[in-house]
Amino acid sequence: MKKDNCIFCKIANGEIPSKTLYEDEEFRVILDLGPATRGHALILPKEHYADLYELPEETACDVMKVAKKMAVKMRDRLGCEGLNLVQNNGDLAGQTVFHFHMHMIPRYAADGQKIGWKPGEPEEEELEEIRKALAD
Ligand code: 5GP
Ligand code: ZN
């Protein structure tokens, strides 16, 4: 399904032009208009899923296949020395466009970007409590 008034539905399905790097039946990969680095790209499913929670498992697998293909091209043709895959879900996590997308951010020496977090220092009990909550 496509969603009315969703900009990424329109871009993914070619109703709004974009700098397309790759396209198949399921996905379009485009250059981000506000790139973190040279070659920052977005993998967009052509169907509308707001986020990872809505994304079907099979589509999630296929996203990684596209990411793998693009990663090799970015390394070989742009000469990036590293690559971050970033995928935000929810306002709090920094999602601003509510159509699932995977960021591919090629990394270069001195690109001036920092994608990361401040490491915590949890007690063993806390780790165990979380493990119990999440492990089956
Ligand atoms: P989010 O913050 O939701 O994870 O990422 C949204 C991304 O989409 C941002 O990096 C932003 O620059 C990009 N973006 C927003 N609108 C457009 C658009 O119309 N075209 C393209 N190519 N990128 C967009
Ligand atoms: Zn959409």
Side-chain angles (χ1 to χ4, degrees):
M1 288 267 288
K2 320 305 180 233
K3 189 169 180 236
D4 286 347
N5 301 321
C6 171
I7 182 132
F8 280 5
C9 276
K10 292 191 168 72
I11 292 174
N13 292 283
E15 291 166 40
I16 294 179
S18 62
K19 294 288 182 204
T20 295
L21 308 178
Y22 172 85
E23 184 182 3
D24 62 23
E25 273 188 7
E26 216 180 356
F27 299 103
R28 184 185 294 268
V29 181
I30 63 169
L31 286 178
D32 194 299
L33 281 185
T37 64
R38 184 169 180 268
H40 181 168
L42 302 171
I43 304 174
L44 310 180
K46 291 185 174 179
E47 294 295 319
H48 182 87
Y49 308 109
D51 52 26
L52 184 63
Y53 298 104
E54 288 191 2
L55 197 70
E57 210 172 285
E58 200 184 320
T59 312
C61 294
D62 292 344
V63 169
M64 286 309 292
K65 290 183 190 164
V66 174
K68 165 77 188 178
K69 268 195 205 110
M70 292 306 304
V72 172
K73 279 196 191 178
M74 286 170 165
R75 182 194 62 195
D76 295 351
R77 301 188 192 178
L78 295 179
C80 61
E81 294 171 60
L83 174 72
N84 291 112
L85 292 184
V86 177
Q87 201 278 302
N88 300 323
N89 297 280
D91 272 328
L92 197 69
Q95 185 175 11
T96 58
V97 180
F98 291 83
H99 174 124
F100 175 95
H101 51 282
M102 175 81 82
H103 294 262
M104 299 193 69
I105 307 177
R107 300 303 304 273
Y108 308 90
D111 63 24
Q113 294 291 352
K114 190 170 189 305
I115 296 162
W117 54 87
K118 184 166 76 69
E121 294 178 354
E123 300 291 336
E124 199 280 333
E125 298 79 50
E126 190 187 349
L127 293 176
E128 180 55 14
E129 182 196 324
I130 298 164
R131 188 197 68 75
K132 280 194 185 133
L134 295 178
D136 287 322

